[in-house]
Amino acid sequence: MSRAGFWRLLLVFFVIYSASHAAIYFSVDRINAAIEGVFIAFNFLMPTVLAASWGIFTYVDNMSKELTDLRNDVDRSKYVIAQEALAALKSEVIWNAMLVFILFLADKIIASATTAPKILEVVPNPWLVGTIALSTRLSFLIIAVVAAFIQMRGFVTAVEYRTVIAVNRK
């Protein structure tokens, strides 16, 4: 992930967090139950994204190897550009998978911490801590869903690359 990508991710997190926190804070517990029910999606999303990432990475890696077979038949500068594009796509697949995994772990840690009775006894305002935790978890889930969509977009891009390679094969 580049620096620009990291800052973009951080900006997206704070925008989603702010919007969800405002909605939760001003609804005064009316939407908390509905939001709590959404987090079960994370239990499905994380393994699905990781499995899809493995498949996409393998697909792109095999394409890279196919392209290597054509290295003597194509213009060297175009070959280098194609290999760099495939390497960037593989890197994006790995980063997205790691992001979803980290967000899943962070979500579970926050969920566990906010339900522990000992922690809630020490906190001066448990309701505010609960809204902050819920907003953070919702932000993590939304970012993970966006990362899953980006991952699927990466697969579509890989299919387009494979089509270009197949068309230009002699």
Side-chain angles (χ1 to χ4, degrees):
M1 177 181 291
S2 66
R3 279 190 180 156
F6 174 75
W7 288 111
R8 198 171 337 137
L9 175 66
L10 209 53
L11 176 67
V12 167
F13 170 77
F14 282 118
V15 167
I16 294 170
Y17 173 82
S18 299
S20 62
H21 187 73
I24 292 167
Y25 187 82
F26 291 116
S27 73
V28 190
D29 289 335
R30 283 178 279 200
I31 64 171
N32 287 8
I35 290 175
E36 277 292 337
V38 172
F39 294 119
I40 194 74
F42 232 143
N43 296 333
F44 166 76
L45 184 67
M46 195 273 302
T48 304
V49 168
L50 292 181
S53 299
W54 179 260
I56 295 167
F57 183 85
T58 302
Y59 185 82
V60 174
D61 192 47
N62 288 338
M63 222 180 353
S64 182
K65 291 173 186 171
E66 284 178 24
L67 191 59
T68 303
D69 295 339
L70 301 173
R71 70 178 170 265
N72 296 329
D73 300 335
V74 295
D75 180 30
R76 180 75 179 152
S77 63
K78 290 180 181 177
Y79 172 78
V80 169
I81 291 170
Q83 284 291 14
E84 287 173 353
L86 291 174
L89 187 55
K90 286 192 288 188
S91 177
E92 181 180 348
V93 166
I94 292 169
W95 278 109
N96 282 345
M98 287 183 356
L99 174 66
V100 170
F101 183 71
I102 290 168
L103 290 174
F104 176 77
L105 289 178
D107 173 68
K108 296 306 173 197
I109 290 168
I110 292 171
S112 297
T114 56
T115 57
K118 299 262 186 207
I119 292 176
L120 294 177
E121 291 172 2
V122 177
V123 176
N125 189 348
W127 180 80
L128 182 61
V129 171
T131 59
I132 291 170
L134 199 58
S135 302
T136 303
R137 292 181 66 207
L138 186 61
S139 301
F140 288 169
L141 178 62
I142 291 171
I143 290 171
V145 168
V146 170
F149 280 120
I150 291 170
Q151 203 75 313
M152 294 304 114
R153 181 189 51 83
F155 184 63
V156 170
T157 302
V159 169
E160 291 171 357
Y161 284 173
R162 178 155 280 186
T163 303
V164 169
I165 292 169
V167 167
N168 290 309
R169 193 172 282 228
K170 293 182 182 181

